[in-house]
Amino acid sequence: MHLVRYLLRLKVASNSTASRSGDFRGDINGLRAWAVVAVVLYHFNVPGFGGGFAGVDVFFVISGFLMAGIVCKGLEAQHFSLAGFYLARARRILPALMVLVIVLLVLGWILLMPKEYQTLGRHARESLLFSSNLRYLDEAGYFDIASHEKWLLHTWSLSVEWQFYMLYPVALLVLSKVLPGRRALLVAHMLGLLGSFGICQYLSVRQPDAAFFLLQSRAWEMLLGGVVYLLGDQIRLPLRTRHFLEVVGGVFIIAAVLLVDASVRWPGTAVLMPTLGAALIILASRQNSLLTGSRVAQWVGERSYSIYLWHWPLVVLLVYFGLQGSPLPILAGLLLSLLFGHLSYHWVEEPVRDWLAQKTKVRSAAWVVVCLVVIALSAQMVRRSGLPERLPEAVAQIESERHNNNPRLEECLGEAVPCVFGGEQISALVIGDSHADAVVTAIAESLPSKQQGVYFQGKSACLMVFTAHKVSEDKGPQPCQVLKDYLREKLPTLYPGKPLIVVNRTSVYAMGELPMPGVNHPGRPTVYFTRQFETPATEFLREFHQHYVASACELSEHHPLYLVRPVPEMMGSVPHLLGRAMLLGKQVELAVTRSAYEQRNAAVWAAQDEAAARCGARILDPLPYLCDENNCYGSRDGWPLYVDDDHLSEFGNRLLIPMFAQIFAESEVEALAHE
């Protein structure tokens, strides 16, 4: 301990000397500490730090200030090297990031199911190429539940910074050739800041996820740091004024961390608190202050980048093992973040940066590029397959059930073309969405003879209610509506008198998706009639009921109509969850309660019951085959019944063969009665 204290004293002393010479800013180093502490405590869900994500905005301002100093000084001295700038940034950022990616790929080899491992490989590749912010924008919002299972989510901010680094010096180089001088630089920074801030505010209202992840809505924060550099380098403030600015800046940042939470639009106008706070503290330039100059702040600040890198995978690890709400594991995660950050700083950041700095620029760049390419290609290999062969055989077999769907899925559902299952003698028609595709082979198996077959036509996410419109941002004809228009015209003369079976995941259209990872808008209806609704309001459910019954009655005019009750939905991918549990040596029983099923599907059942009463539709209920009195199950004897959370597998749909066989038994009885 005495040795550690002595080394710390030496470090602080050297930092103080550096700060006096202008090469090191102790206040900025301490500000980094406050920023990373806020982010870490927020991610570990420590009470009282609901706005800790604002620490990233503080980092952006710091980064902009430092980059402005490097680029503007170089341009003014006429010795700025673009290649040298990029190489210095790569030496600073990439070594620790590459080590983290390697560790996570090894950890994923041990812990992750193939689909999860594929996702990790994709995210690792995007993180190394500094495009992960664009990847996460396509997948889900930063604050969504699903994001807590993404091991490299936090690299979005590194990607935004790197994209800024790529454009910023080029823009200033061009500007310095056209309009040399600091005034032009300041005006350019101000114009860029205002433009980016305007984009940020517009997108935060219209497209909040885009506002969060995109460079164009974040660049103003780094440009603010640049403005502080260009102004602060020219003015000398009295000590009392500097002290006042530091206090106000600190209050702004603390207010953002303590008073803001994920429910606030971010980055909206509230983002001005941490960014202006950081700008004021940097402008104050108070070395060795109580706020930023303590030994603890300096120690954490030096290691802030590595702490930031390592803390988030530890958060995800807690989520993976279901420990994110337990105090002791959270405390262990916080301590390990500091430990791993310290080890990464001393074993990776400093030595690798120094080692690369001793080499020529060409050799240094070659080392960085070769390592980057090798690791990125390894991540790409993981992304392609997930390497299921690494898993124990029993786990791999269960996980492979996610592929056990209708072998003609792409042919029949993807293209929405008519298909025949079974023999050529058509004995029934099946229409619907992907849930119809998931059970059509079981319907074919339920036919009395091999010569009989089933006519099938369906489209994914297509509710067979003729007047329902799909909620979509796409313009022009939608494939689902095209199919429904076709069926509405052709069904009256298409195998008239044959049973018509309608299978839909009906409740998702009326009630929206369940709140689970990967769902962006849970509880929002996915169809509409007169206008779109954000929730299944009474007015909407009344419309849904009326239109559903009207379409059912129209369908029943030319065919005996069979409506299938909704198949129970699980709260996660069944093969994935069963395989993960087996991999971890646990036993799980995946199920939803009958009461939860009944509550979610009550509106659909009521509509189907009225269709039965008004126009003679018959009801097929899968619950007796998939449920007991209390629960509906996702597996049987440890084997998945689903390929994901709601589609029955080719194994699971076989349980419904007796249900569908009733149709043809009834048809035979009716045929005999007419003879």
Side-chain angles (χ1 to χ4, degrees):
M1 287 298 295
H2 291 295
L3 178 60
V4 172
R5 289 174 187 157
Y6 176 71
L7 291 175
L8 281 173
R9 279 202 283 288
L10 285 178
K11 192 70 178 177
V12 171
S14 65
N15 288 345
S16 300
T17 303
S19 67
R20 285 191 295 271
S21 66
D23 296 328
F24 180 85
R25 287 281 300 267
D27 58 327
I28 292 178
N29 191 50
L31 186 58
R32 281 197 188 105
W34 285 102
V36 78
V37 166
V39 172
V40 169
L41 292 178
Y42 167 72
H43 283 153
F44 276 102
N45 203 27
V46 175
F49 292 86
F53 50 83
V56 172
D57 301 278
V58 174
F59 277 125
F60 282 158
V61 177
I62 293 173
S63 181
F65 176 86
L66 296 175
M67 293 311 102
I70 294 170
V71 177
C72 294
K73 281 181 181 177
L75 291 175
E76 289 172 345
Q78 297 185 344
H79 60 62
F80 177 73
S81 166
L82 193 61
F85 175 84
Y86 291 145
L87 182 58
R89 303 283 67 72
R91 287 197 303 243
R92 170 76 175 93
I93 294 173
L94 278 171
L97 176 60
M98 289 191 288
V99 170
L100 175 67
V101 167
I102 292 171
V103 170
L104 290 180
L105 291 177
V106 172
L107 184 66
W109 177 281
I110 300 169
L111 287 181
L112 300 184
M113 300 296 289
K115 190 174 181 180
E116 292 175 307
Y117 204 32
Q118 282 182 289
T119 300
L120 174 60
R122 181 185 299 112
H123 292 169
R125 181 196 64 191
E126 302 294 340
S127 298
L128 293 171
L129 298 178
F130 297 108
S131 58
S132 61
N133 60 323
L134 305 178
R135 167 59 58 185
Y136 296 130
L137 174 59
D138 287 341
E139 294 179 350
Y142 178 80
F143 301 105
D144 291 345
I145 298 172
S147 296
H148 285 78
E149 295 185 354
K150 297 175 182 178
W151 298 83
L152 289 163
L153 175 69
H154 59 323
T155 63
W156 75 269
S157 63
L158 303 183
S159 295
V160 169
E161 284 195 14
W162 186 266
Q163 291 159 17
F164 181 79
Y165 296 159
M166 294 297 292
L167 298 175
Y168 179 70
V170 174
L172 294 192
L173 266 173
V174 172
L175 179 65
S176 67
K177 300 295 184 183
V178 179
L179 294 171
R182 179 163 289 221
R183 178 175 295 179
L185 290 175
L186 180 59
V187 171
H189 276 74
M190 291 296 297
L191 291 175
L193 187 157
L194 293 174
S196 175
F197 184 75
I199 293 172
C200 176
Q201 298 310 305
Y202 175 81
L203 289 179
S204 67
V205 175
R206 299 296 183 90
Q207 301 176 49
D209 289 341
F212 191 93
F213 283 117
L214 292 180
L215 170 65
Q216 51 264 45
S217 56
R218 292 290 195 163
W220 70 272
E221 300 181 50
M222 288 166 275
L223 291 171
L224 175 61
V227 170
V228 172
Y229 169 77
L230 292 169
L231 289 176
D233 198 43
Q234 299 298 308
I235 58 177
R236 294 292 179 267
L237 298 173
L239 180 60
R240 181 175 296 180
T241 302
R242 289 163 53 201
H243 180 77
F244 174 76
L245 293 178
E246 183 190 43
V247 171
V248 173
V251 169
F252 280 2
I253 294 174
I254 293 170
V257 171
L258 299 183
L259 301 180
V260 173
D261 59 32
S263 67
V264 175
R265 186 184 297 126
W266 200 271
T269 54
V271 77
L272 289 171
M273 285 194 291
T275 51
L276 290 178
L280 291 175
I281 291 175
I282 296 171
L283 187 62
S285 189
R286 292 197 67 240
Q287 310 304 311
N288 301 317
S289 74
L290 292 176
L291 184 65
T292 60
S294 69
R295 291 181 177 180
V296 172
Q298 292 299 306
W299 187 90
V300 173
E302 288 176 336
R303 294 152 181 80
S304 58
Y305 174 57
S306 282
I307 292 172
Y308 180 78
L309 281 183
W310 285 95
H311 88 281
W312 178 253
L314 292 170
V315 173
V316 177
L317 200 62
L318 292 185
V319 174
Y320 183 87
F321 287 105
L323 300 173
Q324 66 272 27
S326 304
L328 286 179
I330 289 174
L331 177 59
L334 291 170
L335 295 176
L336 286 174
S337 298
L338 294 176
L339 175 61
F340 290 173
H342 175 73
L343 295 177
S344 173
Y345 175 72
H346 274 292
W347 291 357
V348 181
E349 272 196 77
E350 279 196 322
V352 174
R353 187 168 61 233
D354 293 344
W355 182 74
L356 290 173
Q358 294 170 6
K359 301 186 177 301
T360 64
K361 289 183 177 180
V362 173
R363 288 190 176 184
S364 180
W367 272 105
V368 171
V369 170
V370 168
C371 291
L372 181 65
V373 169
V374 169
I375 300 171
L377 288 176
S378 301
Q380 176 68 6
M381 290 175 59
V382 170
R383 187 206 70 80
R384 284 188 172 180
S385 70
L387 305 172
E389 60 273 11
R390 66 195 161 81
L391 297 173
E393 184 177 354
V395 177
Q397 288 177 348
I398 285 180
E399 198 276 338
S400 67
E401 279 295 291
R402 68 186 174 99
H403 301 296
N404 188 20
N405 47 26
N406 187 337
R408 298 175 65 188
L409 184 151
E410 290 299 328
E411 172 196 354
C412 302
L413 188 69
E415 299 298 327
V417 297
C419 288
V420 174
F421 289 83
E424 295 182 358
Q425 181 185 337
I426 301 301
S427 298
L429 299 90
V430 178
I431 61 173
D433 56 15
S434 58
H435 275 217
D437 175 82
V439 299
V440 67
T441 57
I443 298 174
E445 283 290 323
S446 71
L447 291 167
S449 74
K450 296 297 182 183
Q451 288 73 38
Q452 293 175 288
V454 174
Y455 174 94
F456 170 81
Q457 198 157 11
K459 185 67 181 174
S460 183
C462 191
L463 175 65
M464 287 298 148
V465 173
F466 295 129
T467 48
H469 305 289
K470 187 177 178 182
V471 175
S472 174
E473 295 179 358
D474 298 333
K475 296 181 179 179
Q478 295 182 354
C480 173
Q481 193 60 50
V482 171
L483 173 61
K484 290 193 295 185
D485 292 343
Y486 171 83
L487 290 173
R488 195 173 197 179
E489 177 186 351
K490 296 295 183 182
L491 277 176
T493 58
L494 190 65
Y495 306 107
K498 297 297 182 183
L500 175 62
I501 308 167
V502 179
V503 188
N504 273 124
R505 188 186 177 191
T506 317
S507 292
V508 80
Y509 304 104
M511 309 303 293
E513 294 277 1
L514 291 165
M516 52 188 288
V519 174
N520 290 336
H521 302 288
R524 185 171 76 179
T526 61
V527 297
Y528 69 97
F529 301 96
T530 56
R531 66 183 181 91
Q532 296 185 18
F533 286 81
E534 291 298 314
T535 61
T538 302
E539 180 185 348
F540 168 77
L541 292 178
R542 188 183 303 115
E543 283 187 329
F544 185 93
H545 185 102
Q546 293 170 351
H547 287 262
Y548 184 93
V549 173
S551 282
C553 290
E554 184 176 341
L555 289 170
S556 69
E557 291 177 3
H558 303 281
H559 299 272
L561 179 63
Y562 290 83
L563 301 174
V564 179
R565 300 285 200 201
V567 169
E569 303 157 296
M570 299 296 115
M571 292 301 294
S573 173
V574 175
H576 170 80
L577 294 175
L578 286 177
R580 177 193 279 189
M582 181 176 288
L583 193 63
L584 298 177
K586 298 179 180 180
Q587 288 188 346
V588 296
E589 187 175 78
L590 302 177
V592 294
T593 64
R594 285 285 292 258
S595 60
Y597 173 90
E598 291 165 2
Q599 180 180 358
R600 174 164 171 78
N601 296 284
V604 172
W605 277 45
Q608 291 178 329
D609 289 343
E610 182 163 344
R614 283 182 52 185
C615 39
R618 287 126 181 199
I619 304 298
L620 297 175
D621 185 4
L623 267 61
Y625 308 92
L626 301 174
C627 314
D628 59 24
E629 293 181 357
N630 300 313
N631 297 298
C632 297
Y633 297 95
S635 61
R636 178 160 294 188
D637 299 325
W639 199 256
L641 300 179
Y642 293 73
V643 297
D644 49 27
D645 60 295
D646 60 272
H647 294 89
L648 290 172
S649 67
E650 291 295 289
F651 172 76
N653 71 20
R654 293 308 186 263
L655 299 179
L656 302 184
I657 290 176
M659 179 183 78
F660 293 118
Q662 298 172 25
I663 300 172
F664 308 107
E666 291 174 1
S667 298
E668 289 184 8
V669 170
E670 290 176 359
L672 289 172
H674 283 72
E675 291 181 359

